[in-house]
Amino acid sequence: MAGVDSRSEALSRASSRSSARRAEWGIALVGPTMRTVVLVQILLAAASGAGVADHAGAYWALTLCVVAVSLLLIVQCLVLGTVRRGAWHVPDLVLAWVAVPAMNLLLPDPFVVGTWEAWASGFAINVTALAAAWLPPVLAVGHGVALGGWYLAWTLTANTTSWETSLSNALTIPGYALVVAILVRYLRGLARDADQSREDAVAATRALELERYQLTVHDASSILRLLSDEDTPAEVLPGLRRQADREAQRLRTYLGAEPPPVDSSVPTVGAMLTAAMEGFEDLPLEPAVALGAHVELRQDVWTAVGRAVTTVLHNVRLHAQAHQVVVHADTDGTTWEVVVSDDGVGFDQASQPLGFGLDTQVGQALRDVGVAVDVRSAPGRGTSVTITGPVTEGRA
């Protein structure tokens, strides 16, 4: 099965490269980038802010705390590959809440709103945006609303005429939290859906490969079982060996060990049935195919029907205990029909579902090439499998 499973193994390897993990890495790269931009703006204005602050030491201490936490954020995001974990979470939130009143208390009123000397508003916007990537969405937006209200309450106490700017900054804080929360939730959901789709594709591919494998070895396993059974009559063995050789050639072709044999015979119903019945001399076969033997079939139909008839005969050999097996072919010029009937033990279709051979190897395989199949059986009354297909124009 090494060759058979190649596609499912490739998909399994692709599945290991999780889309959710890649999405998390993307968010973890965006977070430090956003913080770096804000940090550069804070540092560019820090000297000027310390120069006008009432307490330069306190201003520098608060600024350096922000720098330290921001560096911790950048390092941990790049090392862990996620914003969901990190020792910077709580200090980041605390600094955002502390910086708002600190700017109002340390700086003169004209600098409190609309300048980067009072970097609290820009820092608060960035903090709430990043918090939306690691907090639950509702909590993140609620935090943004609370911090925006906190900012507005403090800036309105300053002696400044720009209340519009204060209100705009206050609304921007929860606005960014809402936008980032929606975007992050969407990206993570999209990544989860991609991972689930990949897992479904892997499972579907494995199921398809398993079905193909079962289709390939079903008849071969029946032959091997009889060949290995010491009770198999000696007169049956020559036919089984011919069938085993044919199955071995087919399996080698399937696995790519050798090119498929070229069939130079005309693909007629008669030729198909002759090939399908080869090796079943141990069965009480009664061919009656003259009426439909001349009908030509497409190559894919010829192959599928031949395999189906062989599978039916294997089932008869293993289960039917039949005294008579009739293989009949007929045509009315529009459709052709092949019927395989036996007078064996039969089975109850109401309580006993079709096995893999009749259901998949016969039914599904024939439906895939546009051929109908009807299975009828009853306990003690044998089984009849009717295969019907259209006569292709020009092939009657």
Side-chain angles (χ1 to χ4, degrees), residues 6-22 191 194-199 201-202 206:
S6 57
R7 280 195 296 259
S8 59
E9 288 175 0
L11 280 173
S12 295
R13 289 193 297 270
S15 182
S16 65
R17 300 190 291 270
S18 167
S19 296
R21 182 62 178 159
R22 290 199 297 269
D195 285 339
Q196 186 60 53
S197 297
R198 189 177 290 110
E199 290 176 6
V202 170
R206 285 174 175 161

Side-chain angles (χ1 to χ4, degrees), residues 55-96:
H55 300 282
Y59 184 92
W60 274 116
L62 183 60
T63 302
L64 292 177
C65 285
V66 169
V67 171
V69 171
S70 297
L71 291 176
L72 180 63
L73 178 157
I74 293 169
V75 171
Q76 289 192 327
C77 283
L78 296 179
V79 171
L80 300 176
T82 179
V83 297
R84 294 187 186 219
R85 303 191 308 276
W88 55 273
H89 285 175
V90 173
D92 212 38
L93 298 180
V94 171
L95 283 173

Side-chain angles (χ1 to χ4, degrees), residues 269-270 273 287-295 327-331:
V269 170
L273 291 177
V289 301
L291 295 178
H294 59 285
V295 176
V327 179
H328 177 261
D330 200 351
T331 182

Side-chain angles (χ1 to χ4, degrees), residues 40-57:
V40 169
Q41 292 172 305
I42 291 175
L43 292 175
L44 288 175
S48 175
V52 299
D54 294 338
H55 300 282

Side-chain angles (χ1 to χ4, degrees), residues 139-370:
L139 186 58
V141 174
H143 169 262
V145 171
L147 185 56
W150 177 250
Y151 172 85
L152 183 62
W154 276 97
T155 53
L156 289 180
T157 62
N159 186 17
T160 175
T161 57
S162 185
W163 66 269
E164 297 90 350
T165 303
S166 298
L167 179 60
S168 176
N169 289 342
L171 292 175
T172 302
I173 294 172
Y176 268 77
L178 178 62
V179 170
V180 173
I182 292 173
L183 179 61
V184 168
R185 185 179 179 85
Y186 173 76
L187 288 176
R188 285 173 175 155
L190 198 64
R192 285 194 301 271
D193 290 344
D195 285 339
Q196 186 60 53
S197 297
R198 189 177 290 110
E199 290 176 6
D200 292 343
V202 170
T205 302
R206 285 174 175 161
L208 177 61
E209 296 293 357
L210 177 60
E211 181 177 305
R212 289 181 61 200
Y213 180 72
Q214 290 174 320
L215 287 169
T216 303
V217 304
H218 180 271
D219 291 349
S221 65
S222 300
I223 296 169
L224 291 175
R225 188 192 317 173
L226 290 172
L227 283 173
S228 62
D229 190 348
E230 296 180 355
D231 295 330
T232 300
E235 62 270 18
V236 178
L237 295 177
L240 286 174
R241 291 192 181 101
R242 290 199 303 274
Q243 291 176 337
D245 180 66
R246 186 170 59 189
E247 287 296 313
Q249 292 177 15
R250 188 175 59 81
L251 288 174
R252 285 196 296 270
T253 299
Y254 175 75
L255 296 174
E258 61 183 37
V262 178
D263 189 350
S264 59
S265 63
V266 178
T268 62
V269 170
M272 176 269 295
L273 291 177
T274 298
M277 292 186 290
E278 184 182 356
F280 289 101
E281 292 83 0
D282 56 299
L283 292 180
L285 287 173
E286 292 190 15
V289 301
L291 295 178
H294 59 285
V295 176
E296 292 186 29
L297 305 174
R298 294 197 323 262
Q299 189 61 52
D300 58 336
V301 174
W302 192 90
T303 301
V305 176
R307 293 274 294 152
V309 172
T310 299
T311 298
V312 172
L313 294 177
H314 278 301
N315 274 8
V316 172
R317 172 189 276 161
L318 289 173
H319 308 297
Q321 303 174 29
H323 297 91
Q324 183 183 58
V325 183
V326 177
V327 179
H328 177 261
D330 200 351
T331 182
D332 60 4
T334 304
T335 60
W336 55 264
E337 180 182 83
V338 171
V339 182
V340 181
S341 302
D342 68 74
D343 61 355
V345 296
F347 62 93
D348 185 0
Q349 289 184 274
S351 60
Q352 185 177 351
L354 297 179
F356 178 85
L358 289 178
D359 183 48
T360 303
Q361 186 113 354
V362 176
Q364 181 177 312
L366 293 180
R367 287 191 293 270
D368 287 345
V369 295

